Amino acid sequence: MSAQETPVRVLVAGLGNMGMSHALAYHANPGFEIVGLVSRSKPDLPDALKAYPHFTGYEEALAE
């Protein structure tokens, strides 16, 4: 990604096995910027994802 390109902003909805896998992949890729994580409960997050905002509702996350 060049300095002129803007990363794709993503909101990860669902933090089950696949959602967690996707969130970690987005975290590791400089072409993406995680703007929040959505799940009804707060799962035990890996250290790489703990700093991202967590929302319990999709509508709340979109509004933010």
Side-chain angles (χ1 to χ4, degrees):
M1 184 167 81
S2 73
Q4 296 175 341
E5 293 180 39
T6 303
V8 174
R9 299 179 73 201
V10 295
L11 177 63
V12 180
L15 293 172
N17 290 333
M18 289 304 295
M20 190 74 71
S21 176
H22 286 124
L24 289 168
Y26 289 134
H27 172 77
N29 187 324
F32 294 91
E33 174 190 354
I34 297 174
V35 297
L37 305 170
V38 180
S39 67
R40 286 180 276 180
S41 63
K42 183 138 186 185
D44 186 24
L45 296 173
D47 288 341
L49 301 178
K50 287 183 179 179
Y52 294 111
H54 177 264
F55 302 93
T56 57
Y58 186 70
E59 292 79 13
E60 171 197 6
L62 286 178
E64 188 69 29

